[in-house]
Amino acid sequence: MKKVTSIILGIVLVAAGVIFALNAFNVTDIDVFFDGWWTLFIIIPCTVGLFTEREKFGNIIGIIIGVLLFLCCQDILSFSILWKLLVPAIIVIIGLKLIFKAIFGKKTNEIIKKLKSEGKNINRGFAAFSGSDMKCDGEIFEGAELYAIFGGVECDLRNAVIEKDCAIQASAIFGGIDILVPNNVNVKLDSNSIFGGTSNETASHPDAPTIYVSGTAVFGGIEIK
């Protein structure tokens, strides 16, 4: 999926470069910087993500906002009305995503809650304006909480001992989280994204222990591989 996204964005950039070159030599006279051209940097990535990512909701919202901004730049809509509605709309969207997370991330929440009540070890990775690496080499892994805020977290479980179903709660806000898992586990991802994305690149192993991942990405990304 990442390859498809890169290819499409690459084609767009190449096309833009060719147009600039042709305009420079007076071969064409295409006005690239039309009113609202910058909204394409919102609309195009979200449109690509709509077809290449599992998480659709955030991309749909991104497309809607991008189109509305474009219409305002074209004087079809009024910016004054849009700005009044934009902040309340974003607050409502975040509220809905939190509700969906509580409902659809139920299995992850149950496992984490049980581990805490039993006093079991929960690995934690936190990065704010920095980077953090968390490794579980030869250790029994049962659960983790990962937070990346304007930073990056790498959770390496490739050499961890996973004997039963476990859970990971991951939140990336203007940041990124990479979760590396061994080949002998199954991964189930429940994700919520707002102008961000999540991806699960692991193979399915139905009879193996399952890692339940509840991911929230706000202007950020979460990758499981």
Side-chain angles (χ1 to χ4, degrees):
M1 291 184 181
K2 289 179 66 179
K3 290 182 179 179
V4 174
T5 303
S6 297
I7 290 172
I8 295 175
L9 291 178
I11 291 172
V12 172
L13 291 175
V14 169
V18 170
I19 292 173
F20 280 126
L22 293 176
N23 285 347
F25 287 97
N26 297 319
V27 177
T28 60
D29 187 20
I30 300 174
D31 186 8
V32 178
F33 297 105
F34 53 87
D35 291 340
W37 63 269
W38 52 271
T39 61
L40 296 179
F41 288 99
I42 301 174
I43 296 171
I44 292 176
C46 289
T47 302
V48 173
L50 191 63
F51 295 98
T52 59
E53 297 177 5
R54 289 185 178 183
E55 174 58 38
K56 310 293 185 185
F57 190 72
N59 289 311
I60 292 173
I61 297 301
I63 293 171
I64 293 172
I65 291 178
V67 170
L68 290 175
L69 289 171
F70 177 76
L71 293 176
C72 288
C73 291
Q74 294 291 318
D75 293 327
I76 298 174
L77 294 179
S78 170
F79 270 111
S80 60
I81 295 176
L82 179 62
W83 295 135
K84 289 178 181 178
L85 295 176
L86 193 58
V87 173
I90 291 175
I91 294 173
V92 170
I93 291 168
I94 293 174
L96 289 173
K97 299 301 284 184
L98 292 175
I99 293 172
F100 291 150
K101 178 183 177 182
I103 295 173
F104 297 110
K106 185 177 180 181
K107 184 65 176 180
T108 305
N109 296 335
E110 286 179 352
I111 294 176
I112 294 294
K113 184 177 180 180
K114 182 179 179 182
L115 290 174
K116 289 181 177 180
S117 66
E118 294 176 351
K120 298 289 185 66
N121 179 49
I122 297 178
N123 299 78
R124 289 181 173 84
F126 178 81
F129 298 94
S130 62
S132 175
D133 294 330
M134 189 188 80
K135 288 189 176 182
C136 295
D137 291 340
E139 303 174 15
I140 296 177
F141 177 80
E142 294 184 285
E145 294 177 328
L146 309 175
Y147 300 93
I149 304 173
F150 290 96
V153 173
E154 181 178 273
C155 175
D156 191 346
L157 304 177
R158 289 174 294 183
N159 295 318
V161 178
I162 300 177
E163 302 174 330
K164 59 183 181 179
D165 291 352
C166 50
I168 298 175
Q169 289 181 334
S171 298
I173 303 174
F174 291 95
I177 296 176
D178 291 331
I179 302 173
L180 311 178
V181 302
N183 295 323
N184 60 342
V185 298
N186 189 45
V187 176
K188 289 189 177 182
L189 172 64
D190 288 315
S191 62
N192 300 287
S193 301
I194 301 175
F195 299 112
T198 61
S199 66
N200 177 14
E201 301 176 6
T202 63
S204 178
H205 302 284
D207 298 327
T210 297
I211 300 178
Y212 292 91
V213 181
S214 176
T216 299
V218 181
F219 291 95
I222 300 172
E223 293 187 13
I224 307 170
K225 48 193 175 180

